[in-house]
Structures are given as C-alpha cells and as structure tokens.
Amino acid sequence: MKVLHVAGARPNFMKVAPVIRALADRGVHNILVHTGQHYDTTMSAAFFDDLGLPEADVHLEVGSGTHAEQTAKVMERIEPVLGDDRPDLTVVVGDVNSTLAASIVCAKLQLPLAHVEAGLRSFDRTMPEEINRLLTDQLSDLLFITSPEAEENLRREGAAGEIHFVGNPMIDSLERHLHRARSSTIVNALGLRLGEYGLVTLHRPSNVDDPAVLAGILGALAAVAGRLPMLFPAHPRTVKMMRAHGLERFVRIGSTKATTGGVTCVDPIGYVDFLRLMADARIVLTDSGGIQEETTILGVPCLTIRHNTERPITVTMGTNRLVGTDPATIRREALAAIERPKPDPTRPPLWDGHAGERIAEIIIARR
Ligand code: UD1
C-alpha cells in the first residue's frame, strides 16, 4: 500500500510525523512531499531533525507568494507527482495553503484523499485558514477529527467523507518528545528562570499585517514585560512587518539573552526547545492554533490574541482564554493570569498520544 503525505509549513510537520511513523510500523510505503511553503531552516529543516521525520521524497520548492500564487504553484507542481505515483491514499494535514492545493489536485485526478484535523471551524471567513479548511473537508474521503464538535460542523456542511474521531496527532508528537524537551537547556541559555517568563508568538495576518493593530499588541506586551520578562520567538512575517513600520521600539531584536523589563525578540525556535519553553512558561500569549492545544496538555495558561478559535475545546476543557486584540484587555488579562496559580493540565478525550496509530489502523482497514 502506498500513501503520499503532503506537508509544507511549520505547523504541518508535528502532525504528519506520527501518522508516517505509525503507517511505516505497519509496513506501508510512505511518500513524503514537501511543498516548500516554508523554507527557512528555522521554519522547516529544524523541525524535520527534531521530529525524526524522514527526508522528503519530493521537494516542490514553491516558496512565498500571494495566496493565489502559492496555491497555484503547489497545484501545478504536485499534479505530475500525484499523476505518476497514483498513491492509494493522499494524506493532507491542517489548514495551510499547501493543504488545500493538494486536495484540489487529488479531487480532479480522482485520487482518494484523507484530511487530518478535519472539521475545525472559527466561523471567520476573513481567516485564510478557514477557507482552506472548508474546501479541503468538502473534497476529502476520510475526515479524521480531533474533537467531537468537528463532527457537527462537518455534518452541518454536508461533508460526504467518512468521519473518524481519532484524537490529536499533534499531541502524539508532544508526548513523544516531552521527555527530551525536559533536558533542553534553552531556558538557561536565554538567561531566563524556570516559571518566570512569558512566551509570545504572533503571526496571523489579522494581527501583524495592520501596523496599528500590531503596534497596539506590542505596546500591551511591553507593558506586561514590566512585570515579567517576555520572550518572543518571532515569525519572519512579523519581523518583516515590525521593521517595515518602525515598531522595533517595543521589542529588543537581535539579542541572544532575554532581558528583564522588556520583550526580547529571537529567531524562531525548533520543536524540542520550544516545547521546553512552553512547558516552563508562567503564561503564553499567542495567536497560533497549535499552541492553544499544547498549552492545554502542559497545564500552562494560554491567552489567545484573537476574537475566535477553531479549537473551542481548549477553552471549555483546557487552559485557553480568548482575549481579543484590544491592548488594554490583553494587558489586564495577562497581568491577572500571571498572579493566578498554575492550572492543572487537562486532557481532552483521545488526546492520549495514540492518534497516529488510530489513523494508521483505519487507513489500512479501508484498503
Ligand atoms: C502559514 C499558514 C498559517 C500557519 C503559519 C505557521 C497559510 C494560509 N498560512 O502562514 O496557517 O499558521 O504558516 O507559520 O497557509 N517567510 C519566510 N521564511 C519562511 C516562510 C515564510 O521568511 O520559511 C516569510 C515570507 O516573507 C512570507 C511570510 O513569511 O511572505 C508569510 O509566509 P506564508 O507561508 O505566506 O504564511 P505564514 O504567515 O507563514
């Protein structure tokens, strides 16, 4: 049996790794296609190393571009790969442009398609990922869901694929690598003290592409940093915007040590070191989807700088709180969260480290 996997951007790699491993353990021939949506070492190669992913069999090298350019390039370059290989199944993960592009090509070539992390909805169509999710789910034959409400979303939209509640493969990766993360020396190396720093990530277009919104958020973070040092491993998109709009005054860029009383921007950090930084943070402030899930399992308070989430279970069961983008609210909520005792970790159903195995069993049984 031949299964082709598509991965292209940083949040894909930790989802695809457990599925590939579980299929390989069961004798399946895996083909990994890297679209090249993310290409910097810190955004891609570092994750392959940390996660023990096999080297990609095919590199499409699409790089950056507008949404249409990037999606079109993936479609154009993956079509001959899929057409020649004709895999028994193609697996796409998450909600990035590479996910949607590969799904459309599979549908047109009438090749069976599976979507891992199906049915998540923010109900916000201004979010590019929401469009990618909606369309990918319409085209998929197998819909692997991470939480029960995803099934309602899919049924409401009339998705025709088979729905399977399998748990969360991103948590498989967390469980597999947490032990190694615990021996990472990154916290000390950055001059931070365990449990005495905040960790920030920010990259959503709605937060970083408008200089006024970005300035407001950075101002709030700088104010919170007066109470607790803030470490900000910054996405290239965000650094580009900070530089373009003269917003470096809110942060310290290019430092290798965190400072008290400030927000320290460092380059993006690899998977294992970032896991360590999350696990020992006092609070995490983010607009990432995956980090909302990881902090829930780690029992670290997460303030999500967005008005909605496609992962509501992290709010109802986990440590996540939506704080929106108003600077005064971010500041107030962050300062309050710092003073609260650390919550207990919680585990949504089936987020048990075995999602990849469940997915592999279903794929093989369907053959
Ligand atoms: C993409 C995904 C988003 C995901 C995020 C994680 C889509 C629509 N968006 O957003 O869902 O949460 O990845 O990081 O697919 N750049 C580099 N080096 C890289 C990659 C990007 O410098 O390796 C810069 C480029 O200037 C590029 C910008 O970052 O234009 C944005 O990259 P892009 O892949 O378009 O979107 P992300 O914001 O990374």
Side-chain angles (χ1 to χ4, degrees):
M1 186 182 196
K2 198 161 63 173
V3 176
L4 186 143
H5 305 262
V6 181
R10 181 169 63 176
N12 292 163
F13 306 132
M14 58 294 271
K15 296 167 194 167
V16 93
V19 181
I20 290 184
R21 184 174 298 110
L23 285 167
D25 287 348
R26 290 161 177 77
V28 169
H29 173 42
N30 290 301
I31 301 166
L32 176 57
V33 176
H34 190 324
T35 65
Q37 176 170 345
H38 285 172
Y39 40 85
D40 286 350
T41 305
T42 53
M43 300 291 284
S44 173
F47 284 77
F48 273 67
D49 292 345
D50 269 4
L51 293 160
L53 266 168
E55 206 182 313
D57 300 283
V58 182
H59 284 271
L60 303 181
E61 295 178 356
V62 301
S64 299
T66 65
H67 286 270
E69 286 164 352
Q70 199 169 53
T71 309
K73 270 194 202 161
V74 175
M75 289 177 66
E76 217 169 71
R77 295 183 191 183
I78 207 168
E79 186 178 44
V81 178
L82 288 165
D84 290 347
D85 274 336
R86 299 208 66 87
D88 298 300
L89 184 71
T90 298
V91 179
V92 296
V93 297
D95 53 18
V96 301
N97 287 342
S98 302
T99 310
L100 172 62
S103 304
I104 297 173
V105 176
C106 279
K108 295 288 176 93
L109 292 175
Q110 298 178 26
L111 290 170
L113 176 69
H115 184 203
V116 172
E117 212 181 60
L120 297 185
R121 295 292 180 267
S122 65
F123 304 102
D124 173 4
R125 291 198 184 192
T126 65
M127 214 183 158
E129 293 81 3
E130 184 77 351
I131 308 298
N132 294 343
R133 293 179 199 118
L134 278 160
L135 298 176
T136 299
D137 287 338
Q138 284 296 321
L139 301 175
S140 297
D141 303 285
L142 281 174
L143 296 153
F144 292 118
I145 65 171
T146 55
S147 58
E149 84 283 352
E151 177 162 2
E152 282 165 45
N153 295 337
L154 292 166
R155 299 235 182 264
R156 189 181 333 102
E157 291 162 10
E162 265 176 40
I163 301 171
H164 295 274
F165 178 29
V166 291
N168 192 336
M170 186 172 231
I171 303 306
D172 293 15
S173 285
L174 182 151
E175 294 294 351
R176 185 177 185 88
H177 298 287
L178 188 56
H179 182 67
R180 203 151 55 93
R182 296 267 185 224
S183 50
S184 154
T185 55
I186 185 83
V187 177
N188 285 338
L190 286 166
L192 294 164
R193 293 216 307 255
L194 295 179
E196 300 202 10
Y197 60 90
L199 182 64
V200 177
T201 81
L202 215 54
H203 75 283
R204 295 258 158 245
S206 55
N207 283 341
V208 308
D209 285 3
D210 178 339
V213 175
L214 181 56
I217 296 172
L218 293 177
L221 296 174
V224 179
R227 164 72 180 83
L228 190 71
M230 292 280 143
L231 181 75
F232 181 9
H235 189 287
R237 175 184 203 111
T238 312
V239 173
K240 207 162 86 177
M241 296 309 290
M242 287 194 292
R243 288 196 200 282
H245 299 287
L247 300 176
E248 299 102 317
R249 67 180 183 281
F250 292 110
V251 296
R252 187 180 302 258
I253 297 187
S255 175
T256 51
K257 291 272 184 201
T259 47
T260 42
V263 181
T264 306
C265 257
V266 293
D267 286 341
I269 288 175
Y271 182 73
V272 169
D273 283 341
F274 193 79
L275 211 48
R276 173 82 210 236
L277 284 167
M278 270 193 295
D280 287 301
R282 176 86 71 92
I283 55 168
V284 172
L285 294 113
T286 190
D287 60 8
S288 151
I291 290 174
Q292 298 170 43
E293 299 183 338
E294 290 164 335
T295 47
T296 280
I297 294 296
L298 294 169
V300 174
C302 176
L303 303 186
T304 296
I305 303 179
R306 286 174 51 189
H307 296 286
N308 52 54
T309 178
E310 60 289 335
R311 294 162 160 90
I313 203 163
T314 61
V315 176
T316 53
M317 281 194 72
T319 59
N320 188 21
R321 184 184 281 249
L322 295 180
V323 297
T325 56
D326 170 55
T329 310
I330 296 171
R331 182 169 167 271
R332 191 185 62 240
E333 291 285 344
L335 291 172
I338 290 168
E339 303 312 328
R340 277 194 287 269
K342 200 176 171 192
D344 288 330
T346 51
R347 204 171 276 280
L350 300 190
W351 291 21
D352 58 359
H354 299 288
E357 292 150 43
R358 290 187 198 99
I359 291 170
E361 292 294 343
I362 293 163
I363 288 175
I364 289 165
R366 191 176 178 270
R367 198 176 166 189

